[in-house]
Amino acid sequence: MSTTTASLFTPYSLGELPLPNRIVMPPMTRSRSSQPGDVPNELMATYYAQRASAGLIISEGTWISPLGKGYAWTPGICTEAQIAGWRKVTDAVHAAGGRIFAQLWHVGRLSHSSLLDGQPPVSSSALQATGVNVYVVEADGKPGFAQASTPRALSVEEIHDIVDQYRQAARNAMAAGFDGVELHAANGYLVNQFIDSNANTRTDEYGGSLENRLRFLKEVSQTLVEGVGDASRVGIRLAPLTTLNGCSDADPETTYTAAAKLLDQIGVAYIHIAEADWEDAPLMPAPFKQRLRDAYRGCLIYAGNYTVERANTAIAEGWADLIGFGRTFIANPDLPERLRVGAPLNTPERETFFGGDAKGFTDYPTLAEATTA
Ligand SMILES: Cc1cc2nc3c(=O)[nH]c(=O)nc-3n(C[C@H](O)[C@H](O)[C@H](O)COP(=O)(O)O)c2cc1C
């Protein structure tokens, strides 16, 4: 790989969008939208604006249709109220000097019928996800985790309808003032349920061969480019090696190198690799990273347990352009400045990751606030 002298603090041009540094706040679900209606709100605007010094913010997953929702209190991007709510967020981030893409999400089988008006979730195939993996509202109104319900397989006509929903969601995101959109094709959600061989047992044009398993990714990516009107404002998130929610592939290097080639042809701005997700942290070998670099000419973002040192090595060795810092960004609104000066970091509190109020959301102190406190 060709080496560079760039570091996390070297500016970068993402298409026409100048980024002041290479630090990305990756998508993180926080389940704090206003009820009823799953509407983004002022508190969320404050949270994102506090983190506007990131080179790029990707919003938490935002569902593209009611059937694409898998966790309680997650925001959508379908209704007028949701679009207006997101407008508050994007305006606040832009006023604070930042840039923000919307992560577009359809969870597929990772949902529970209690979140879907009693209907079963949908997927490429009628295969239930393993593990206790979705976040529901219990009978007493309190949050709790449950196993995803058994899904039903989508018909081809329904698949085409979902592609149309993605196009509309991309239009809605641009109407809400986002700088672009990211497709959530990682972590075992709907697009991933088509790509990975163990989640897809279809025998029609959406299953079987590698080309068929990548067809949904291809159609959705193309439709997002159409919806946004500009390929340089579309990114795709992939998780080649994680086995989250029981989604895994028999030959990930071949599958995801082919996906990268396809996305190169479509011309999307970036591929965002979810390399490790918390404890699910398989080692991604250097030759695999090299294959992705060779297959795809755009920007490559990596996220998962990064430190400044690992991030700078990734950029200097040439296999990453930008690096996502997830949990550290939750706890440190001024993360880029802290990383630049080598300041100590606040510790993220797991108990307040999902649901709740300002506690553990907008009340983490900046360095200046911590020193004057
Ligand atoms: C609270 C929380 C919520 C998350 N929600 C999402 C999400 O909505 N979409 C997504 O693609 N990844 C999600 N992730 C994964 C992160 O984007 C990131 O890849 C992961 O946390 C690994 O990075 P880290 O080790 O720097 O935290 C979430 C992570 C956390 C901690």
Side-chain angles (χ1 to χ4, degrees), residues 84-154:
W86 279 121
R87 172 56 83 173
K88 287 184 196 158
V89 172
T90 62
D91 281 351
V93 168
H94 291 146
R99 297 137 296 276
I100 181 165
F101 274 38
Q103 190 185 48
L104 302 184
W105 197 18
H106 192 305
V107 299
R109 70 184 185 181
L110 283 163
S111 189
H112 194 266
S113 47
S114 69
L115 297 166
L116 304 174
D117 284 335
Q119 302 173 73
V122 296
S123 185
S124 58
S125 314
L127 297 172
Q128 188 175 21
T130 50
V132 173
N133 28 32
V134 300
Y135 191 65
V136 295
V137 189
E138 305 282 13
D140 57 3
K142 299 217 171 95
F145 279 93
Q147 182 174 15
S149 309
T150 304
R152 65 179 179 82
L154 288 160

Side-chain angles (χ1 to χ4, degrees), residues 332-344:
N332 296 276
D334 54 346
L335 185 68
E337 180 58 11
R338 285 180 188 251
L339 296 183
R340 197 180 62 77
V341 301

Side-chain angles (χ1 to χ4, degrees), residues 159 163 166 182-186 190-196 200 205-206 210-225 234-239 255-264 266 268 270-271:
I159 292 173
V163 172
Y166 273 109
E182 173 176 295
L183 171 66
H184 197 347
L190 184 62
V191 185
N192 207 174
Q193 292 158 29
F194 278 84
I195 300 174
D196 281 0
N200 185 341
E205 66 266 40
Y206 288 97
L210 178 54
E211 189 187 357
N212 284 353
R213 284 188 284 117
L214 293 178
R215 189 177 310 282
F216 187 57
L217 170 70
K218 179 178 166 192
E219 291 178 355
V220 175
S221 303
Q222 285 170 332
T223 214
L224 293 184
V225 171
V234 176
I236 311 291
R237 192 163 217 213
L238 300 173
T255 298
Y256 284 90
T257 305
K261 272 197 192 119
L262 178 85
L263 296 172
D264 184 74
I266 297 172
V268 297
Y270 70 77
I271 296 179

